[in-house]
Amino acid sequence: MNLAEARSLLAAAGYAGGRGMPRVSLLTRNDEIQPVVGEALQAMWKSALGVEVAVNPLEQKMWLQNQQTSNYSTSLYSWVADYPDPLTFLGLFTSDNGNNWTGWADPKYDALIARASITSDPAARNAAFQAAQNLLLDAAPVTPLFFGAKAY
């Protein structure tokens, strides 16, 4: 994260140091992980940017309904790989994916993912995935925060 740029963008929007900015609502599931991550973000955004964040944990059914209907401004979301391939994550954000609850769509992204999913050449496939990932991160409908792990 580029903290100086974030502060500059806040100031340009009229919220230097977070002053006057409305409180950000951060939707989380009320599980064992998301509220803790939300509280960490709340503390970091307050300390680094002066932005007030309200962490709003919801039970699974309500959280899911809010996600699917885009009834949120900021929300935590997690995904577990179904299989060991970039498509299990990057495929989430294609326009026609039923799990893309961001409201974001980009025909270039869709084309790159489609190309990668039918390409057998590993280098060409990786290049298509990398280009798609760059589009996704530049558009920023999502921001990867952390990677979970379980020890067995």
Side-chain angles (χ1 to χ4, degrees):
M1 176 181 164
N2 185 330
L3 199 50
E5 184 178 3
R7 289 178 178 144
S8 176
L9 289 169
L10 270 175
Y15 302 115
R19 288 182 299 281
M21 183 168 171
R23 182 179 286 226
V24 174
S25 173
L26 177 61
L27 198 65
T28 70
R29 275 192 320 261
N30 66 345
D31 61 17
E32 65 280 353
I33 297 172
Q34 285 196 6
V36 174
V37 173
E39 290 169 6
L41 289 171
Q42 179 183 51
M44 287 185 266
W45 290 352
K46 176 65 177 167
S47 171
L49 302 172
V51 173
E52 295 284 340
V53 175
V55 179
N56 298 309
L58 295 176
E59 64 90 18
Q60 172 80 13
K61 185 176 180 180
M62 290 304 300
W63 175 86
L64 194 59
Q65 181 179 1
N66 280 284
Q67 290 288 328
Q68 292 172 335
T69 60
S70 301
N71 186 23
Y72 63 92
S73 57
T74 307
S75 181
L76 291 182
Y77 181 82
S78 59
W79 190 257
V80 177
D82 299 304
Y83 49 94
D85 189 83
L87 191 60
T88 194
F89 290 103
L90 295 175
L92 282 173
F93 303 104
T94 56
S95 303
D96 62 351
N97 189 298
N99 292 311
N100 180 1
W101 302 331
T102 65
W104 179 77
D106 184 327
K108 292 178 197 169
Y109 181 86
D110 292 349
L112 286 163
I113 295 299
R115 184 181 334 140
S117 67
I118 61 169
T119 301
S120 59
D121 175 49
R125 189 170 192 268
N126 187 49
F129 277 137
Q130 188 64 57
Q133 179 176 287
N134 290 341
L135 281 175
L136 180 68
L137 293 176
D138 286 345
V142 296
T143 302
L145 295 176
F146 69 93
F147 299 94
K150 289 189 179 186
Y152 293 99

